[in-house]
Amino acid sequence: MKLIKLTAISAAVLASSAALAAEPVIVVDGNEAVVYEAEPVAVAYQAQPGYAYDADAGVVGNTLGGTKGFFKQVVNPASVSAEVGTLGYGANIGWSLNEKTELQAGWAGGDVADLFGGDFDANDVNYDVDSDFSNPYLGVQLRPTGNWFTMGAGIIVPDNTIDVTSNPNGGVYKVDGKQYDADDVGTLKGSLDHRNKLAPYATIGFRPNITNNFGLFGEIGAAYMGKTSAEVSSVGGVNGFIRDENGVVTGETSASVASKAEKELEDKDWLEWMPIVKVGATYRF
């Protein structure tokens, strides 16, 4: 009887050990062999998150992803920037498509004629310039190497007012190869308008990050504004025929001289290729 009990106890202990080891155990009781199958031990594992979002990771954050992400990020852009340059003073908003690509929408404008010298010559007539620029734009900013170097391209919708006022040289105007008395002609006043309603542009630049949120940028490039249309009229000129620089009455009137000056002004195609030079600061969310 004791032998049977010891055998049973040994079998139980061995079966328990086998269960822990997850291996089957064979126990011999007399002439009979008994097989004990170990039951698997259940172990609870806590799943680790497969992905954790790091708001500071990468150069560009808040990227657009999926329909839900798109609407969320339209309301919450990746960056805002202030800028000043040849297109004017303005700002833009950026939405990140991925870590190297950002969609931008902005506006720049104001009186920036002094940035282009404030005057220019159309053949032999010098004109002072007053401007009122309005340049909304939509573009893409790329970081092709993933660092501070950038390339940009897009479309400007120009609505720029450019007014010109002539400056006589030594009391005479030289128009179409002839000289006319400035007092007889009067002051030539006019306006310029670029013909392109959509102006493509391209830039290269740099955008270093100063802190996690703040950065600076600079860009150079050009926009194709197209050829110019001009309107010029004479203000304060005499009625009838005007004199040349020697006081000889010509067959010209102040209106006809203004018409010739208008043609020369259009041929000038001032700022047909608008240079883009701008600097600014960016805040990233």
Side-chain angles (χ1 to χ4, degrees), residues 219-231:
E219 294 179 37
I220 59 172
Y224 183 65
M225 295 292 184
K227 295 186 179 297
T228 56
S229 297
E231 291 184 2

Side-chain angles (χ1 to χ4, degrees), residues 79 81 83 92-95 102-106 137-141 152-153 155 201 207 217 219 278 282 284:
S79 66
S81 301
E83 64 182 58
N92 67 64
I93 302 174
W95 294 271
E102 186 172 272
L103 180 67
Q104 290 183 338
Y137 62 87
L138 181 65
V140 176
Q141 195 72 226
I155 292 293
Y201 74 86
R207 288 178 175 263
F217 69 88
E219 294 179 37
K278 62 181 176 179
T282 297
R284 293 197 174 279

Side-chain angles (χ1 to χ4, degrees), residues 110-129:
D111 185 359
V112 294
D114 288 342
L115 295 176
F116 301 101
D119 69 324
F120 68 92
D121 293 329
N123 282 355
D124 295 308
V125 181
N126 179 263
Y127 292 93
D128 286 332
V129 181

Side-chain angles (χ1 to χ4, degrees), residues 203-273:
T203 63
I204 59 173
F206 63 95
R207 288 178 175 263
N209 293 326
I210 306 303
T211 68
N212 288 336
N213 297 105
F214 286 98
L216 302 176
F217 69 88
E219 294 179 37
I220 59 172
Y224 183 65
M225 295 292 184
K227 295 186 179 297
T228 56
S229 297
E231 291 184 2
V232 177
S233 60
S234 173
V235 178
V238 299
N239 293 323
F241 296 117
I242 59 176
R243 297 168 295 172
D244 61 18
E245 78 278 13
N246 299 316
V248 177
V249 176
T250 69
E252 302 279 359
T253 64
S254 57
S256 65
V257 172
S259 179
K260 291 180 179 181
E262 178 178 290
K263 178 64 168 58
E264 291 183 343
L265 196 56
E266 286 187 344
D267 291 342
K268 174 69 174 180
D269 282 329
W270 189 64
L271 297 182
E272 177 181 2
W273 285 93

Side-chain angles (χ1 to χ4, degrees), residues 49-179:
Y51 174 78
Y53 176 70
D54 181 2
D56 295 326
V59 176
V60 177
N62 294 343
T63 58
L64 302 175
T67 304
K68 186 176 181 180
F70 175 83
F71 287 108
K72 179 180 178 181
Q73 298 307 332
V74 166
V75 179
N76 300 284
S79 66
V80 293
S81 301
E83 64 182 58
V84 58
T86 53
L87 292 177
Y89 311 88
N92 67 64
I93 302 174
W95 294 271
S96 299
L97 303 180
N98 55 52
E99 290 185 351
K100 294 184 179 180
T101 308
E102 186 172 272
L103 180 67
Q104 290 183 338
W107 177 90
D111 185 359
V112 294
D114 288 342
L115 295 176
F116 301 101
D119 69 324
F120 68 92
D121 293 329
N123 282 355
D124 295 308
V125 181
N126 179 263
Y127 292 93
D128 286 332
V129 181
D130 289 318
S131 65
D132 185 10
F133 281 10
S134 178
N135 292 298
Y137 62 87
L138 181 65
V140 176
Q141 195 72 226
L142 303 175
R143 294 178 184 260
T145 56
N147 58 13
W148 55 265
F149 175 71
T150 62
M151 299 175 64
I155 292 293
I156 299 172
V157 187
D159 184 15
N160 300 326
T161 300
I162 304 171
D163 295 323
V164 296
T165 302
S166 63
N167 296 310
N169 182 11
V172 298
Y173 290 117
K174 187 174 182 180
V175 180
D176 193 27
K178 298 179 181 179
Q179 298 190 56

Side-chain angles (χ1 to χ4, degrees), residues 1-57:
M1 178 65 70
K2 290 183 178 181
L3 180 60
I4 295 173
K5 288 182 178 180
L6 290 173
T7 302
I9 292 171
S10 298
V13 171
L14 290 173
S16 175
S17 299
L20 293 175
E23 293 290 343
V25 176
I26 301 175
V27 178
V28 178
D29 184 3
N31 294 323
E32 295 181 359
V34 180
V35 179
Y36 293 88
E37 286 288 341
E39 296 295 328
V41 178
V43 179
Y45 293 92
Q46 183 175 359
Q48 297 297 321
Y51 174 78
Y53 176 70
D54 181 2
D56 295 326

